[in-house]
Amino acid sequence: MPIRLSRTLVLTTLLLTLSPLHCRAIDPVSPPNTTRALNQGLSDQELQQWYHLSAGTQLIPYDWLIALEDESLTKMFAATGLVADPDHIDKLPVGFAKTEGPNISVPQAGFTCSFCHTTQFSYKGQRIKIEGGPSLQYNARFLSALIQRLGALIPPDLSAFLQTLKEQAPPEPFKTFATRVLTSRGEAVTAYTLTKLAQDVRMHTHGLISRSGRDLSPEQWGPGRFDALGRGGNMVFTMLHPDNLRPANAPVSIPPLWGVWEYDWVQWAGSIQHPLARNIGQVIGVNAGLFNWARPGAAIPSDKNGLFRSSVNVDSLTTLEELARRLPPPQWPSAFPPINRELAARGKDLYHGNRAKGIPNLCAHCHVPARISGSSDGGPSLQITMVPLQEIGTDPLYLENFSQRTVDTSFLGRGRISAREASEYVTSELMAVNNATNAPVYRNRPNIWRDKAQYIARPHVAVWATAPYLHNGSIPNLYELLSPARERRVCFALSPNMEFDTEKVGFVVEDCTGLPPSPSQPARFEFKTVLPGNSNRGHEFTDTPDCDSAKGNGVLGCELPVNDRWAIIEYLKTCDLDRLVLPNTPACRNLD
């Protein structure tokens, strides 16, 4: 065996030993027994597309993932919040896809939309699954589990391992893994193929560790949160220059998809207009091989097709967008306690205001968007309310990171520009090289990005299914959201497989202990609101000398009586807002 391979295998073992991703083992956890799916209008075939149609992302070779898959790995993935799909031909979890194409040498396992936008939580022994909702997966722990499994393929006794490869008698688990992979590829098991596969595993594992180790912030995201702009920017822009790396330390809750197509601006900061640009940004931010050519001493491609070569699949993104558009908001499940209609009616008055009763409009003035008059075919129909940071008073780090970030794009001939400009430029060019700029479905959708100090007042469509709350997920339930900041938890513990709280509407959370996760709860995460990016202040009804008149610094109004809080919560369980904001959603009768 070549000396170079021996050295690289030694290096890999050291990396796997020292990597911070491997300080905590992830042990399998048994989930609840039954799943109750709130099927939202997709056929079985369409649901499989939603779960597994590739948008072009790349993680590891697909046959590797299939070769690694067993009951233990399935349970590890479930423990980190991935949703099982027993109907998939290869039994992969929801959100995994097989990426192939002219820019892919070996079919890759990657992610698709449902990886982040299918949610599942527990209620009295049942699992409630909802399409289009925010996933509760703990991404860093999932990647750790995958890297652990890859790392276990190469044993610590390297000299003995190298000899077994020469003798074509490798130890387990590499033997079974290699046999499965080589057989699926139609290759013979020889010293050469075993050595080549070991080298490929070493290089790919090293790449995953290196990518994860550049910024350790994702370990502090916890379940259901991503810093997509931060981590995605690192994936794309550090390829152009290493100085483009920034901490991805401002995670936000994964937003729901119901009705998003109708919004004029999307993302928590209202930073993007074009649906395809948004989706392309997500794909390249995960990894679509964009700018793989940008290495020291490498020749810069001479044309745009080479410059922006990637595995982004625009046709699949269009199909996935169409499927997402057809997902109506879920209705309060029949397995939950019935809605108190009298209390909900009182909550409706408080939410929207009722002049005849002298009740002010507490919520609708921000969270019910205005209709765009004369909206053209294919264009947005709802003008989303954007609230200045100074008024809403929530954590500013997410806004600051994006607005203050600059990117060295010298390889692209544009010098140092803002992250906003770079994102707009790159997504526009990717649409152009994929012949999607003038696609009829996206007419009247300009690709404009912005980085203003403001947050979206997201419409409360099926808001009961979108906990935790605020843009950064710092409040576990609606009751605390409507309460003064002094009554909100300073620290609480989350996990990807949480119990739903039908009273306070959100999740049943535990108190913080300061202890590390246990083998029975490997993805337990303590959310500390004192940390930068995690503040739970703002969006507050609290008594101040001028709370009934002046608005700003996070105070929206005077403290709400407890009974009024319960009434608004009861109203938010209904589908009344769903029908008001999105008139084409299915009819329901939980408020009439």
Side-chain angles (χ1 to χ4, degrees), residues 77 226 257 310 331 335 441 589:
F77 282 172
F226 278 78
L257 297 183
S310 75
Q331 297 180 11
V441 70
R589 295 283 182 267

Side-chain angles (χ1 to χ4, degrees), residues 436-498:
T437 302
N438 299 313
V441 70
Y442 299 116
R443 68 166 61 95
N444 302 311
R445 297 273 188 164
N447 184 24
I448 298 173
W449 291 56
R450 62 186 184 185
D451 52 10
K452 296 183 178 180
Q454 58 187 6
Y455 281 117
I456 190 172
R458 191 172 297 279
H460 287 152
V461 173
V463 69
W464 64 266
T466 64
Y469 300 103
L470 290 187
H471 75 277
N472 58 0
S474 58
I475 299 180
N477 56 62
L478 287 177
Y479 185 83
E480 289 190 29
L481 181 64
L482 295 171
S483 299
R486 67 178 183 276
E487 297 181 18
R488 297 171 180 172
R489 293 171 182 260
V490 176
C491 186
F492 56 92
L494 299 167
S495 74
N497 301 288
M498 287 181 283

Side-chain angles (χ1 to χ4, degrees), residues 81 83 113-121 130-137 223-226 252-258 268 330 461-469 496 507:
V83 178
C113 300
S114 57
F115 188 75
C116 291
H117 296 290
T118 291
T119 190
Q120 182 172 276
F121 47 78
I130 300 174
E131 310 306 336
S135 165
L136 295 172
Q137 45 128 327
R225 297 202 306 169
F226 278 78
V252 295
S253 289
I254 300 170
L257 297 183
W258 314 302
W268 282 107
V461 173
V463 69
W464 64 266
T466 64
Y469 300 103
F507 294 116

Side-chain angles (χ1 to χ4, degrees), residues 24-30 76 79-80 138 141 223 493-499 508-511 513 515-526:
R24 185 181 298 113
I26 296 185
D27 295 331
V29 175
S30 298
M76 285 183 182
T80 63
Y138 194 160
R141 301 284 168 83
L494 299 167
S495 74
N497 301 288
M498 287 181 283
E499 180 79 4
V508 177
V509 294
E510 302 175 359
D511 292 330
T513 64
L515 299 175
S518 65
S520 63
Q521 290 185 301
R524 185 179 184 273
F525 174 77
E526 295 197 345

